[in-house]
Amino acid sequence: MIDRRTILLWAILVIGLLCVASSAAAVALVVGDGAGVSGQTVQVPVYLTDAPDPAYSVELELEWYQYYFTLVGVETAGTESAAWSMEWSTGPGQGHVALAGASPIVGGGLLCYLEFSLELGNGSGTIYLRDAVINEDPVPPAMEDGSISVSPLPTVDIYPDSGLIPVGETLSFNTYSGVAPYTYTSSDPAVADFTGGDNVLVGLTAGTVQVSTEDANGTTDTTTGVIEVRPFVLRALNMSTTEGRTLQVPLTLIDPGPYGIYSAELDVHWSGSAAEFLGVQTAGTLMATAGWSAPEFQSGPGTATIVAAGASPLPGAGILCFLEFRVQSSFWLYLEPGLFNETWQAFDVDGYITVNPLPDITLGPSGIDLLVGNEIQLELGGMISYPVSYTSTNPGVVDISPTGLVTGVSAGWTDIWMEDSLGARTNTIHLEVFDFALPSLTTRIHADETLMVPIKVERSLTGLGITSYELAIDYSSYYVEYLGVTAVGSASEDWGTPLAVDEGNSVRVYHAGAAPLSGCPTGLVYLEFHGLPTIGGGNVLVASMDAALFNEGSPRVLINAGTPCVVSGVSLVPGAGSLVVGNHPNPFNPGTTVSYAVGDTGGAARLAVYSSRGQLVRVLLKGELAARATGEVYWDGRDDRGRLQPSGVYFSRMQVGPNKAMGKMVLLK
C-alpha cells in the first residue's frame, strides 16, 4: 500500500518534468545568415534564445551541400561562450561543434561563429541544423536553419586581348565588368603607350607589349596576348577592272625609310580560279628607284612568292612593286607580313579586286546561209565598247570587213567572233556558205492544166564543174499528176534523157554527163505535171524542192533560196563562143519579137519554139549565120499549121554551130 508521502513525491516529480519539458520546448538554437564573395571566409552566427535555465553545455550537428562551402573553424571570441572550452570537427558537407563551461549562459545570446570558406560562384546555400543538445538534455530544443549568400568575385575584363598595329597607328581598349573610371598602362611605354587618349594605345617603335587595366576598386586585368607593333605598312590597294583584262595591282610600303631596307620577301594568296599571276613589274616603283635587280618569283594556282634585293635601301614611302594578273572574277588579295632585311615584318593590309563582268553583247544574224559572192551585214547588240574586231574560225570561207560586212568566198562553214575594246566576246552560230542555189519552185497550176516545171538555178553554172546531180521534188498526188521529165532545152540536154523515179508524192531525178554544165539556163531539167479536178476553181503550187546533190556534194547547193538567174538583154554583145536569145515583150499577147546575138562562132543555125512539154511548136529560123551576127524574128503565137496557141509557157531554143541558147516566153490571153 502506497503511503500519502510517496504519492506526493511522485506528483512533484511529474509536475517538475512537465515544467522542464515546457521550458525545454521554449529554448531555441538559431543559425544565422552570412554573405560573402566567392573565395572569401565568412562567419555565420549561432544564437541561443529563450533559455530560462542556465546553460552549461551545447552540442550542434550541422549539414550543408558540400560543394557550396566548407567549415574551416569555429570562433567564440566576443560571444557568450568565450570562457567555455570548444571542440569542432568537419567532413564533406557536415560538421560537429561542442561547447561547455563552468560559467553558465543565462537567458541566451550569441553562442559562437561558424567560419565557412565559400566555394559557390554565385547563389545561396542552406546550413541545416540537424540536431542540438543543451545540458545533455534528451529533449531537443527548437532549431532554425541558416544560409549563406555567395556573390562572384569582382572582376574586370580588358578587350581586345591581343592586337597588331603599325608604328604611328592606334588601338583602342575597353574594360568590362568593373567600376569606372579605368586606368590603362603599357608594359613597355617605349614600344607603345597611351599617348593618344585615356584608352588609346599608340605604336611608337617595333616590338611587343601587354596592356593592363585597373578599375576604381583596384581590380585589375592584363591582356593574355601581346600587342605587336610592326615598323611599317605593306598594303595591297583595292582596285576595279573588267573580266578578262590584265591588271597591275600596286603594293605600297609606308614608311620603310628609317629601317634601311635592302631586301624583301613577300608571299601573296588569292583564289586560284579568279586570276592568273603573270609576274612582277617594277618600273616607276621604290625598287626601281633604289636600283634593285628585277625580282624573282615562284607562283602556282592562287599563290606567289616574290624575292627582291639591292645594294641601296628603299628611299621611303611609295609603291614597292606591281603584281600583274589576268583577272576573271572578283577576289581578295591576301598579303603575308613579308620579311624585310630578313628581320622586319610589315603590318599587312589585304586588298580587294573588284572584277566587273563583261557586258552582254550579241552578234547576229545566227544560222546564216550565204552564197559565194553574196554579202550580209553583221548585226551588233548590247553595251558594246568600240572599236570592235572580227575573226572567222575558218577564214577561207568568208571575208569580213572592218565594218562587219561578210562576203562568201568559198563553200564551207564557219563561226564569226566579235570582240570589243573591253574584251567582251560573242559569236554567230554556224554560218554556211554555198556555191550556188536552186530557187523555190513557184509555178502554180489549175485543174486540167498541163505545165512543164523548170528546175532553175540562181547563177551561171560556168566554172562549177557540175557533171552530175540528184534532185528530190515533192508534189501532192491529190492535186497533180506527174507525167514525166525531159532535158530538152535544158542545161543538161546534151547528157541525154535523165532517170526519174516517181515515188507517189516525190520524184527523184538522176542525171550525169561528161561535159560540165555552163551558162545561165532557164532550167536544169523540166518536169511535167497535170492539174487534177480536186484543185477545184483555185490553183495550187505544183511542186517543191526537197533535196539536191551535185557531184556527190561539191559544189554545195542551197535549195529554196535566191532568185532565178536571167540572161541580160540580147543587145549586149555575147562573149567568145557564146549565144544569146531572148524576146520582147514578155509576157506577150498575141505575138513577140525573138532576138538573138551570135558569139565568135557561126555556123548552121536553127531557132524554134517549144511548148512547156518540150513539143516542137514552130521553127522560126533555119540557115547559116555568121559570127557576131544579130537579128530578130517575130512569132505571132501560132504553130506551123497556123493554129493560135493557148496561154502558157513556151521556150525559144536556138542553136548556132556547137552553141545553144534558150529563152522562156509567156503567152497570156
Side-chain angles (χ1 to χ4, degrees):
M1 182 176 189
I2 300 174
D3 61 16
R4 191 174 170 190
R5 185 168 177 251
T6 301
I7 294 173
L8 178 61
L9 288 174
W10 277 105
I12 294 171
L13 179 60
V14 172
I15 293 170
L17 290 173
L18 291 173
C19 289
V20 170
S22 175
S23 63
V27 177
L29 280 171
V30 177
V31 179
D33 297 327
V37 176
S38 179
Q40 289 182 334
T41 298
V42 299
Q43 292 183 335
V44 177
V46 180
Y47 298 96
L48 176 65
T49 65
D50 301 324
D53 295 326
Y56 290 90
S57 67
V58 177
E59 290 186 55
L60 307 175
E61 294 291 341
L62 304 165
E63 189 176 323
W64 59 88
Y65 188 52
Q66 61 176 322
Y67 297 107
Y68 282 9
F69 24 79
T70 302
L71 182 65
V72 294
V74 179
E75 179 63 53
T76 60
T79 69
E80 297 293 333
S81 64
W84 288 9
S85 61
M86 180 267 296
E87 291 182 359
W88 69 276
S89 63
T90 187
Q94 61 185 5
H96 174 79
V97 179
L99 301 162
S103 300
I105 299 174
V106 179
L110 178 60
L111 181 64
C112 66
Y113 291 101
L114 304 175
E115 294 183 340
F116 287 93
S117 173
L118 306 186
E119 309 296 337
L120 180 64
N122 184 22
S124 63
T126 302
I127 303 172
Y128 299 100
L129 186 53
R130 295 302 189 191
D131 196 9
V133 177
I134 300 175
N135 291 340
E136 298 183 1
D137 189 341
V139 179
M143 294 176 288
E144 185 175 331
D145 300 331
S147 67
I148 299 178
S149 296
V150 185
S151 301
L153 284 172
T155 59
V156 293
D157 187 15
I158 190 169
Y159 180 83
D161 208 41
S162 62
L164 178 65
I165 58 174
V167 169
E169 293 297 322
T170 62
L171 183 62
S172 296
F173 286 83
N174 292 289
T175 302
Y176 302 98
S177 303
V179 179
Y182 306 99
T183 302
Y184 298 91
T185 56
S186 168
S187 63
D188 189 347
V191 174
D193 201 7
F194 287 90
T195 58
D198 291 340
N199 67 327
V200 180
L201 183 72
V202 180
L204 302 176
T205 188
T208 60
V209 298
Q210 286 183 289
V211 173
S212 298
T213 182
E214 183 177 353
D215 74 351
N217 291 332
T219 306
T220 63
D221 187 33
T222 300
T223 59
T224 56
V226 298
I227 288 78
E228 182 180 359
V229 181
R230 291 186 178 168
F232 37 77
V233 177
L234 178 66
R235 182 189 301 272
L237 296 187
N238 297 330
M239 300 192 72
S240 179
T241 187
T242 306
E243 175 187 353
R245 302 299 293 271
T246 297
L247 178 69
Q248 291 186 348
V249 180
L251 301 185
T252 61
L253 202 58
I254 309 171
D255 176 10
Y259 298 89
I261 303 302
Y262 291 86
S263 67
E265 182 176 342
L266 311 174
D267 289 304
V268 296
H269 308 281
W270 65 94
S271 172
S273 61
E276 176 189 2
F277 183 71
L278 301 179
V280 184
Q281 302 297 328
T282 60
T285 67
L286 296 177
M287 289 184 179
T289 303
W292 288 14
S293 57
E296 298 180 357
F297 65 88
Q298 293 181 335
S299 65
T303 184
T305 299
I306 300 102
V307 178
S312 300
L314 298 177
I319 297 175
L320 178 65
C321 62
F322 294 96
L323 304 184
E324 191 169 36
F325 296 90
R326 180 176 292 110
V327 300
Q328 297 299 328
S329 59
S330 299
F331 63 96
W332 278 99
L333 183 60
Y334 299 103
L335 303 182
E336 298 293 334
L339 195 62
F340 295 82
N341 286 1
E342 300 183 358
T343 302
W344 304 109
Q345 285 189 313
F347 180 87
D348 52 290
V349 180
D350 302 328
Y352 188 73
I353 312 303
T354 302
V355 179
N356 299 309
L358 290 170
D360 291 330
I361 59 176
T362 60
L363 181 64
S366 61
I368 307 169
D369 291 329
L370 190 64
L371 295 171
V372 170
N374 287 6
E375 299 174 338
I376 190 168
Q377 179 65 47
L378 294 176
E379 302 167 358
L380 282 62
M383 300 295 293
I384 297 174
S385 297
Y386 292 90
V388 300
S389 61
Y390 301 95
T391 55
S392 169
T393 57
N394 194 352
V397 172
V398 296
D399 179 69
I400 312 170
S401 76
T403 61
L405 185 66
V406 180
T407 303
V409 174
S410 63
W413 69 269
T414 184
D415 280 354
I416 297 175
W417 284 90
M418 182 268 285
E419 182 173 345
D420 72 359
S421 61
L422 292 179
R425 301 183 76 232
T426 186
N427 69 307
T428 60
I429 301 176
H430 200 69
L431 183 151
E432 282 201 71
V433 179
F434 296 86
D435 291 294
F436 72 108
L438 300 182
S440 299
L441 304 181
T442 58
T443 305
R444 306 187 76 85
I445 193 170
H446 292 81
D448 296 325
E449 183 179 12
T450 299
L451 289 178
M452 192 73 73
V453 177
I455 306 301
K456 303 174 183 178
V457 295
E458 53 80 40
R459 65 182 59 195
S460 173
L461 301 179
T462 302
L464 295 180
I466 297 173
T467 56
S468 69
Y469 60 79
E470 301 176 24
L471 307 175
I473 298 95
D474 292 337
Y475 69 93
S476 172
S477 59
Y478 180 76
Y479 291 113
V480 297
E481 177 188 3
Y482 168 71
L483 299 179
V485 62
T486 180
V488 175
S490 72
S492 57
E493 180 179 7
D494 290 343
W495 291 357
T497 302
L499 171 65
V501 178
D502 182 16
E503 298 177 345
N505 285 291
S506 178
V507 178
R508 294 191 172 272
V509 179
Y510 304 89
H511 211 189
L517 302 182
S518 62
C520 181
T522 56
L524 286 171
V525 71
Y526 302 97
L527 283 77
E528 189 173 16
F529 293 91
H530 179 74
L532 299 176
T534 50
I535 296 175
N539 60 12
V540 297
L541 286 172
V542 178
S544 61
M545 181 66 64
D546 179 59
L549 183 68
F550 289 79
N551 291 357
E552 303 299 329
S554 179
R556 301 180 72 204
V557 61
L558 178 63
I559 65 172
N560 300 314
T563 57
C565 71
V566 294
V567 179
S568 56
V570 294
S571 59
L572 298 177
V573 177
S578 63
L579 176 65
V580 179
V581 64
N583 69 293
H584 183 78
N586 191 23
F588 62 93
N589 183 25
T592 184
T593 299
V594 180
S595 303
Y596 59 87
V598 181
D600 291 341
T601 302
R606 183 174 183 271
L607 174 60
V609 176
Y610 289 84
S611 70
S612 60
R613 298 182 183 181
Q615 297 172 329
L616 178 64
V617 176
R618 187 170 179 179
V619 176
L620 300 179
L621 174 67
K622 191 173 182 180
E624 292 285 332
L625 287 176
R628 315 301 294 175
T630 60
E632 295 179 346
V633 179
Y634 183 75
W635 180 44
D636 58 6
R638 298 177 182 273
D639 62 9
D640 285 333
R641 297 183 181 182
R643 293 174 295 187
L644 195 61
Q645 298 300 296
S647 296
V649 176
Y650 296 86
F651 298 95
S652 56
R653 183 178 182 277
M654 188 171 189
Q655 182 171 357
V656 178
N659 298 321
K660 300 175 184 178
M662 179 175 287
K664 178 180 178 180
M665 303 180 293
V666 179
L667 174 58
L668 292 179
K669 295 184 179 180

